[in-house]
């Protein structure tokens, strides 16, 4: 199942309009912090979005290591399947944005992908970083920490194709209890629940208030383990309703102090951020 990108952006536009008209927390301007927010719960989990990618190249081992140094609770990564069926860590389906060389990951051998420099775009300090295999990223996960693995879909690959290969890697890692599968693609999560029943599966979604009955119904029907929603459309009402159903709510992607404190105060389970060290510090004060 592939996302219709035009429909997705239409939903985003509609969401912004509805959010504004209904006063649903659209934070277009920084406002003075309410003193009550200073006690935001430090129990909120910090999820490093593609690692600590404000300072290190995204979805690399360097970014992962920095995230752990900054005491992230969870590392989030994105994966695709190469032409020779290796699970590669990359957000984009193609390599153009990061490397300057345009390959489709699903159509390219991993041996070719591994010759590309995925670090230099960020800084010469990271020149020579290779696109990681998923098993390499899993190897960085310390005891007590977790990894969110986002199964991607695009023009040349559906997310469901990843599931059996990701399952094999997770099971061989010895860290199955530390892994969580996430995806926008419900079909991939349904297959994940069948093939890796002991690994949590979380649905990623935009604009909950346009389809809240649907989201809650699919979580219940397919025994999913949470929702990961866009932070600007994640309201206290939604979070409270999810709590009544024992559905954990994670949000993406939050980099501002005011947003992080408000969301922690509302009771989200976890906050995804490009700045895990910074968000950890501000929620601890």
């Amino acid at each position: 199942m592939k996302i219709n990108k035009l429909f997705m952006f239409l939903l985003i536009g509609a969401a912004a309009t509805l959010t504004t008209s209904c006063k649903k927390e659209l934070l277009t301007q920084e406002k003075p912090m309410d003193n009550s927010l200073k006690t935001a719960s430090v129990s909120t989990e910090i999820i490093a979005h593609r690692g600590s990618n404000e300072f290190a190249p995204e979805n690399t081992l360097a970014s992962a290591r920095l995230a752990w140094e900054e005491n992230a609770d969870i590392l989030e990564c994105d994966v695709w399947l190469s032409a020779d069926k290796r699970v590669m860590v990359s957000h984009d389906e193609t390599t153009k944005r990061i490397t300057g060389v345009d390959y489709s990951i699903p159509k390219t051998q991993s041996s070719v992908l591994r010759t590309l420099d995925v670090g230099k775009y960020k800084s010469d300090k990271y020149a020579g970083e290779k696109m990681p295999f998923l098993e390499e990223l899993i190897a960085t996960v310390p005891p007590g920490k977790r990894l969110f693995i986002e199964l991607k879909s695009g023009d040349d690959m559906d997310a469901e194709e990843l599931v059996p290969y990701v399952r094999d890697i997770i099971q061989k890692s010895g860290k199955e209890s530390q892994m969580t599968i996430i995806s926008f693609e419900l079909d991939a999560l349904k297959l994940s629940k069948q093939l890796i029943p002991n690994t949590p599966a979380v649905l990623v979604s935009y604009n909950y208030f346009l389809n809240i009955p649907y989201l809650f119904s699919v979580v219940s029907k397919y025994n999913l383990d949470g929702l990961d929603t866009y932070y600007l459309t994640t309201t206290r009402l939604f979070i409270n309703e999810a709590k009544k159903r024992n559905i954990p709510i994670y949000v993406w992607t939050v980099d501002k102090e005011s947003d992080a404190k408000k969301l922690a105060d509302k009771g989200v389970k976890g906050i995804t951020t490009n700045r895990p060290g910074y968000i950890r510090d501000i929620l601890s004060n």
Side-chain angles (χ1 to χ4, degrees), residues 255-278:
D255 291 331
K256 291 168 62 177
E257 175 180 354
S258 57
D259 296 331
K261 286 188 174 182
K262 288 177 181 179
L263 287 158
D265 182 64
K266 291 175 186 176
V268 297
K269 175 70 171 172
I271 292 175
T272 304
T273 178
N274 298 305
R275 313 168 73 188
Y278 171 72

Side-chain angles (χ1 to χ4, degrees), residues 186 203 213-224 227:
L186 178 59
L203 179 64
Y214 166 77
L215 291 179
F216 285 159
S217 68
V218 298
V219 168
S220 175
K221 182 176 181 179
Y222 300 110
N223 194 32
L224 300 182
L227 292 168

